[in-house]
């Protein structure tokens, strides 16, 4: 298991290096750190001098190594608009996005597990047919449409739920960084619509995945043997079949949670949710290249970290992997 | 005299889109305490379906259409699920064909044994583990204490089948149904597993229903035999009599095709043709397209099981 963790971590570091290289290449081509520092009202001669001082005329590899060195110290360049280190800007915006993704992930788990299992066990029931029909519809529905529909129904028409902003938040660590909406009623209300919209992208996929995995497992010999042993149905379904269903689902979940960070751009814009995604679109409008690249690297890193953690978790629940790692 | 198990005129059908398919067409047999019965026949004859019908565990579109499965006088075919569960894995155990697929890969051997005991008795995990160890010893698993914490993939096929046999023994059943328990294993291991099953049945006076298409194994292990063809029993009786002096043309063909009876260089005999698909069973005797003794009557009337002068039962117009 230890060897397995080491191997996975090495892979993750490699992938992150590749991401940083891509990020750096883009920045190198289209970014303008001089503008980031001093703005646009500087003469060409002064600019050239600053370029030389900053080492921007050095060879690519030399600059990349310097970029990596700085990155290792958390320095990913300055944001042109905020006049602050880009990483600092993003870290300040991260909690809002994390809460959005966490909430959506929670909804996915809480809804897709029971529905997936139920539709596998009772495929002919009304609820199963309804769920499957609805999820077919859901797959083909774009997020912004779901979001706008939700806002229209629950926000505009019914006035049940707020449809923009984060509402009342609580300062989690006492330093003003992590403002959480999970601890006040108002904050929770504000979370519902954005989280549901974000979750709606993946939900149909997960219900279908869990259902088909479960149905496959229910047909196996070891489940038939479990019946032949006279075990109670609940034990066969919820212990024997469920654990085998979960294994492939966990890996997919890891990948999808990572992808969800990318989808937050749309969701956050529609709901004016002040997170990294909202910031990203603003940065695009302002051509804030350093901030964009930093966003790319941060989100890429989150993706890699989530996947690595999930793979390691998978190794822990799957005994066959554990042995492979022990060798 | 009442039997431990008495299957009466059992019919099993599968509800398919185009109508019901009869997989088992009115079979009857009995099994007594400590008796060993072999069920033989070609692939698709209905051997496995018979096994699953006894424990009322037919897979989806299958159902018992007619007949009774009397276990100690109680009809299992009409027993409610909850009651039937008390019999499965407790009074009647079943062993499957492929030991690589039978154990759940994500649970330890210990978990899979303890749960089988707990499903049927009110005992603590420690007590259950003690019984599990005792049964593992019985099937000659070396150092059983270490095994409980291991996962199925840490064992070879032969070892897994031993563990599965140990699981089937946990609740000291009255009957074990073994559905081709050695087909998936090496020849040397096959013999070991068969010896083990026979030894256990004799020691514990357990009834055994051994499903196989290996007549050699049946003649070694069992005392009674039932030969199946296209969903029917076509010959049944004392194993030695049937194997050494078969009556039904199909059984004769089966015996003749055994490699054991060959002199070197002689060509292996094969019954001509194939067993008909269940949807296309010919009228009269189902074996008639392949039979060299057939007569007019064989094309019209279904032969019934009759007692022959050798003391066995056979279903053929020409006997
Ligand atoms: N799930 C099912 N759906 C439809 N028909 C089935 C099903 N299971 C079995 N049958 C039918 O029952 C017949 C008997 O199958 P069974 O598995 O009992 O054969 P068998 O004698 O055990 O053969 P084998 O030696 O290949 O194991 C098959 O030919 C098939 O037509
Ligand atoms: S009944 Fe006729 S066809 Fe059938 S086995 Fe006997 S002789 Fe052959
Ligand atoms: Mg079979």
């Amino acid at each position: 298991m230890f060897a397995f963790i080491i191997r996975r971590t090495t892979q993750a570091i490699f992938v992150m290096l590749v991401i940083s290289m891509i990020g750096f290449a883009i920045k190198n081509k289209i970014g303008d750190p001089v503008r980031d520092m001093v703005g646009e009202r500087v003469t060409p001669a002064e600019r050239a001098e600053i370029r030389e001082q900053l080492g921007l005329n050095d060879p690519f590899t030399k600059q990349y190594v310097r970029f990596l060195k700085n990155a290792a110290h958390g320095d990913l360049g300055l944001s042109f608009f905020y006049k602050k280190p880009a990483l600092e800007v993003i870290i300040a915006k991260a909690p809002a996005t994390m809460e959005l993704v966490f909430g959506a992930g929670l909804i996915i788990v809480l809804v897709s597990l029971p529905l997936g299992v139920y539709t596998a066990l009772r495929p002919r029931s009304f609820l199963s047919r309804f769920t499957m029909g609805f999820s077919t519809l859901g797959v083909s529905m774009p997020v912004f449409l779901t979001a706008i529909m939700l806002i229209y129904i629950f926000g505009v028409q019914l006035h049940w739920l707020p449809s923009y902003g984060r509402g009342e938040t609580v300062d989690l660590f006492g330093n003003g960084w992590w403002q959480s909406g999970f601890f006040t009623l108002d904050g929770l209300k504000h979370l519902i619509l954005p989280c549901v919209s974000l979750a709606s992208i993946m939900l149909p996929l997960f219900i279908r995945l869990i259902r088909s995995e479960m149905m496959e497992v229910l047909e196996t010999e070891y489940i038939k043997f479990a019946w032949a042993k006279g075990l109670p149905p609940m034990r066969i379904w919820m212990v024997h079949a469920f654990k085998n269903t979960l294994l492939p689902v966990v890996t997919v979940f890891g990948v999808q949670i990572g992808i969800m960070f990318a989808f937050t751009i749309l969701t956050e814009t529609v709901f004016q949710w002040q997170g990294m995604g909202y910031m990203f679109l603003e940065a695009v409008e302002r051509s804030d290249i350093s901030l964009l690249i930093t966003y790319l690297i941060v989100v890429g890193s989150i993706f890699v970290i989530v996947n690595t953690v999930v793979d390691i978790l998978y190794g822990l629940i799957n005994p066959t992997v554990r042995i492979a790692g022990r060798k | 005299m009442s039997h431990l198990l008495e299957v009466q005129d059992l019919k099993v059908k599968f509800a398919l889109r185009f109508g019901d398919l009869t997989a088992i067409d009115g079979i009857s047999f009995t099994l007594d305490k400590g008796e060993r019965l072999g069920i033989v026949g070609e692939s698709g004859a209905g051997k496995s379906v018979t096994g699953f019908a006894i424990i009322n565990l037919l897979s989806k579109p299958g159902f018992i259409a007619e007949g009774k499965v009397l276990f100690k006088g109680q009809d299992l075919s009409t027993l409610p699920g909850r009651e039937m569960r008390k019999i499965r894995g407790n009074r009647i155990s079943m062993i499957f064909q492929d030991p690589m697929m039978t154990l759940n890969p994500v649970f330890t051997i210990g978990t899979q044994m303890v749960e089988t005991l707990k499903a049927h008795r009110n005992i603590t995990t420690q007590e259950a583990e003690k019984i599990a160890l005792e049964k593992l010893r019985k099937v000659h698993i070396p150092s059983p204490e270490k095994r409980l914490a291991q996962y199925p993939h840490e064992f070879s096929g032969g070892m897994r089948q031993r563990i599965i046999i140990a699981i089937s023994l946990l609740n000291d059943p009255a009957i074990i149904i073994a559905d081709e328990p050695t087909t998936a294993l090496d020849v040397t291991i096959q013999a070991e597993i068969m010896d083990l099953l026979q030894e256990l049945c004799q020691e514990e006076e357990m009834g055994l229903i051994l499903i196989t298409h290996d007549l050699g194994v049946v003649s070694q292990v069992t005392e009674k035999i039932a030969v199946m063809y296209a969903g029917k029993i076509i010959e049944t009786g004392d194993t030695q009599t049937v194997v050494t002096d078969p009556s039904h043309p199909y059984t004769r063909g089966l015996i003749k095709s055994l490699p054991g009876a060959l002199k070197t260089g002689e060509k292996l005999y094969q019954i001509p043709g194939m067993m008909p698909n269940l949807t296309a069973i010919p009228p009269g005797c189902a074996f008639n397209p392949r039979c060299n003794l057939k007569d007019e009557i064989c094309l019209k009337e279904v032969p019934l099981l009759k007692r022959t002068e050798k003391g066995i039962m056979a279903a053929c117009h020409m006997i």
Side-chain angles (χ1 to χ4, degrees), chain A residues 122-134:
Chain A
R122 297 270 175 271
R124 282 159 197 284
S125 76
F126 172 76
L127 179 60
S128 295
R129 285 163 195 263
F130 178 79
T131 306
M132 295 321 287
F134 204 77

Side-chain angles (χ1 to χ4, degrees), chain B residues 14 16 21 23 42-49 59 61 180 213 278:
Chain B
F14 286 89
L16 302 179
L21 175 83
E42 272 168 280
S43 190
K47 306 178 300 286
S48 301
V49 171
S59 44
E180 315 210 21
H213 37 231
L278 291 179

Side-chain angles (χ1 to χ4, degrees), chain B residues 248-250 285 287-288 291 293-295 298 303 315-318:
Chain B
H248 195 283
Y250 176 63
C285 174
F287 188 58
N288 73 45
C291 184
L293 293 178
K294 69 166 173 268
D295 202 352
C298 305
C316 172
H317 292 303
M318 296 300 134

